[in-house]
Amino acid sequence: MEDHSLEKKFSKFIIAVSIIIPVVVGILFGVKLKDLGIHVEPLSFLPPIYATTNGVTAIVLVFAVIAIKNGKQKLHERLMTFAIGLSVAFLIMYVAYHMTSDSAKFGDLNHDGILDAIEKAKIGAVRYLYFFILATHIILSIVIIPLVLITYVRALAERFDRHRKIAKITFPLWLYVAVTGVVVYLMISPYYA
């Protein structure tokens, strides 16, 4: 009989984290510290940093796959742990930025926080492309939380057959989220005030 104790031990944790993170991020995304009477300078320097963090995550993921395909299991493990750390760092910076700064509006050329008809006309259909990429990025960033955790725990449990099976799903989705995080930043960056 195979030992599934490590997977079972972490299953409730994975479920809890997979629910708590999106809920807490959603709540904190709507909280502005200034509205709570807490004066904090806007952390407007963070978006290029967390976009870079997404880019580095994508690179690390690719190198991790190359490492395991070349039989370098320990390097693969370290790179994947690093990728998880980068994702956590991204999340912290993302929430901190949105708690201290007003969100940029895609197409707001004059940076007044209002997207008027002239601005909408100037950006045209690119706006729909942006929102499609943003929506898929957000949805898949929620989906990959349990996938990453399950994949990682299966590796820790040395259930490499099951690890490989789910990693084939987790890797492309995580890579998509990391890459589109950079794309979203590059598309919205001209509209930061």
Side-chain angles (χ1 to χ4, degrees):
M1 181 117 190
E2 293 180 1
D3 180 23
H4 300 288
S5 60
L6 193 61
E7 286 184 79
K8 284 183 180 178
K9 179 180 173 182
F10 280 100
S11 65
K12 288 181 183 173
F13 170 78
I14 291 169
I15 292 167
V17 168
S18 299
I19 294 168
I20 291 168
I21 288 177
V23 169
V24 169
V25 169
I27 291 168
L28 292 177
F29 190 82
V31 172
K32 299 290 185 223
L33 294 178
K34 65 182 178 183
D35 296 340
L36 299 174
I38 301 169
H39 177 71
V40 177
E41 287 297 315
L43 301 175
S44 55
F45 63 90
L46 283 178
I49 297 170
Y50 62 67
T52 301
T53 302
N54 266 326
V56 172
T57 301
I59 293 166
V60 169
L61 289 172
V62 169
F63 277 110
V65 169
I66 292 168
I68 199 64
K69 287 190 183 286
N70 289 321
K72 298 177 180 177
Q73 187 175 338
K74 200 67 182 165
L75 177 60
H76 173 76
E77 180 184 329
R78 288 182 184 134
L79 289 170
M80 294 311 296
T81 302
F82 184 47
I84 290 171
L86 287 168
S87 294
V88 170
F90 161 81
L91 191 59
I92 291 167
M93 288 185 282
Y94 179 80
V95 169
Y97 168 76
H98 283 284
M99 289 182 74
T100 62
S101 307
D102 293 326
S103 295
K105 288 192 182 344
F106 187 81
D108 183 14
L109 295 167
N110 62 5
H111 310 290
D112 66 355
I114 300 166
L115 193 62
D116 61 35
I118 295 169
E119 290 170 322
K120 280 184 182 178
K122 282 185 180 178
I123 58 169
V126 175
R127 183 170 167 76
Y128 298 108
L129 175 63
Y130 169 78
F131 282 116
F132 173 78
I133 295 169
L134 179 63
T136 58
H137 171 79
I138 291 169
I139 291 165
L140 291 175
S141 71
I142 294 167
V143 169
I144 65 164
I145 295 169
L147 290 175
V148 167
L149 295 174
I150 292 166
T151 306
Y152 195 75
V153 167
R154 286 182 179 174
L156 289 177
E158 297 182 358
R159 297 293 317 277
F160 298 118
D161 56 329
R162 292 169 52 88
H163 169 78
R164 277 189 296 276
K165 193 177 280 190
I166 196 167
K168 289 179 180 178
I169 298 166
T170 305
F171 170 73
L173 295 179
W174 195 359
L175 185 62
Y176 179 85
V177 169
V179 170
T180 55
V182 176
V183 172
V184 165
Y185 168 74
L186 292 174
M187 292 181 81
I188 193 75
S189 63
Y191 308 110
Y192 284 115

